[in-house]
Amino acid sequence: MCGRFTLTTGLGEIIQRFNLNQQEDAVEHSPRYNIAPTQTVPVIVEDGGEKKAVPMRWGLVPRWAKDLKIGNRLINARSETIRQKPAFRRSFLRHRCLVPADGFYEWNVTEEKKQPMRIVLDQGELFAFAGLWDQWESPEGEVVHSFTIITTRANEKMADIHDRMPAILHPADESVWLDPSLKDPELLRNMLQPYPSETMEMYPVSSQVNSPHHDAPDCIQPLSVPTE
């Protein structure tokens, strides 16, 4: 699964990397070092043929949900079953999104401890998780946009610590994934393959990442020696 990730750049860099048609002050965003479920981050959608970032809550709340709580259980969507799950199948064909990130966390579980690890691409570059989004309205009229991150089987490097990993899109596939006119499920699923392990780096970080309330630069600093 993917339960934490990072987006340590400013909105200007996100706009440039994903070629968005909006100003830097269009969405409120500051560098994030430990993004957790239920928190709000910029997510990229296609609207009227243009890509733009919009703030969304992590944890997809389907439009038919009775309340927000269901989103706490829907932070990830398995690529293998995405077409069968009622919470995801409509969004898979109609509401796909890019979730910008520059790293994510996974925990290496041993008999002694759970060591958080940060996984990044070469040079720490920005990339995009494949995501789905939906719009939900409360009985009081509050409108909530929310998203989930799609997961796939682990690549060779990730398999050392977990059997799943987030589906990272190749840059050439990002615009195709966003295209709302594309409804070929097999073509879409073929984009959700494990990202090549040779392009990824992994390193241990502080256990402060375990707390969703700790969101600071020290979360991403490599440990020089293992923690106790």
Side-chain angles (χ1 to χ4, degrees):
M1 63 176 295
C2 177
R4 294 279 211 289
F5 67 98
T6 64
L7 184 57
T8 67
T9 63
L11 189 62
E13 294 170 83
I14 297 170
I15 290 172
Q16 183 176 18
R17 162 62 177 81
F18 294 100
N19 193 27
L20 307 185
N21 186 29
Q22 61 191 141
Q23 301 298 316
E24 289 190 31
D25 59 356
V27 179
E28 184 176 340
H29 170 69
S30 58
R32 300 291 305 279
Y33 303 92
N34 190 18
I35 299 166
T38 76
Q39 296 177 356
T40 299
V41 291
V43 171
I44 299 169
V45 300
E46 183 171 321
D47 182 23
E50 296 182 341
K51 293 185 292 183
K52 65 178 184 179
V54 296
M56 292 196 189
R57 183 182 193 268
W58 186 11
L60 189 137
V61 183
R63 60 186 55 225
W64 44 258
K66 294 182 179 179
D67 58 50
L68 283 172
K69 292 180 182 178
I70 190 173
N72 299 343
R73 306 193 304 273
L74 300 178
I75 65 170
N76 292 154
R78 293 175 67 93
S79 61
E80 297 87 347
T81 59
I82 204 167
R83 293 177 61 192
Q84 289 77 46
K85 297 294 185 181
F88 304 133
R89 60 192 179 198
R90 183 178 184 276
S91 290
F92 180 54
L93 295 179
R94 301 187 183 188
H95 289 159
R96 297 181 298 273
C97 62
L98 306 178
V99 183
D102 57 11
F104 64 97
Y105 298 108
E106 191 53 78
W107 279 255
N108 186 17
V109 181
T110 66
E111 292 183 358
E112 293 79 21
K113 61 182 177 180
K114 292 174 62 175
Q115 173 61 57
M117 310 288 291
R118 185 172 185 242
I119 300 93
V120 298
L121 299 192
D122 289 345
Q123 311 302 319
E125 63 193 70
L126 274 168
F127 56 85
F129 298 130
L132 308 176
W133 69 275
D134 208 343
Q135 177 178 302
W136 176 80
E137 186 172 345
S138 73
E140 296 75 31
E142 177 191 9
V143 175
V144 176
H145 293 94
S146 60
F147 72 94
T148 187
I149 295 172
I150 299 174
T151 65
T152 186
R153 67 185 187 279
N155 62 22
E156 294 84 353
K157 183 168 292 186
M158 285 296 301
D160 290 337
I161 61 174
H162 204 280
D163 61 354
R164 306 288 298 175
M165 66 177 292
I168 299 172
L169 292 168
H170 291 275
D173 290 335
E174 292 169 357
S175 293
V176 182
W177 177 259
L178 285 182
D179 185 353
S181 68
L182 178 60
K183 301 186 185 298
D184 183 336
E186 291 309 311
L187 178 60
L188 292 167
R189 284 189 57 185
N190 285 339
M191 300 181 198
L192 305 176
Q193 304 300 318
Y195 208 77
S197 59
E198 62 270 17
T199 66
M200 303 176 73
E201 299 176 2
M202 183 187 310
Y203 62 88
V205 294
S206 168
S207 59
Q208 291 189 93
V209 169
N210 296 342
S211 170
H213 303 294
H214 189 74
D215 186 359
D218 59 356
C219 287
I220 67 172
Q221 294 304 311
L223 292 181
S224 56
V225 294
T227 57
E228 294 295 326

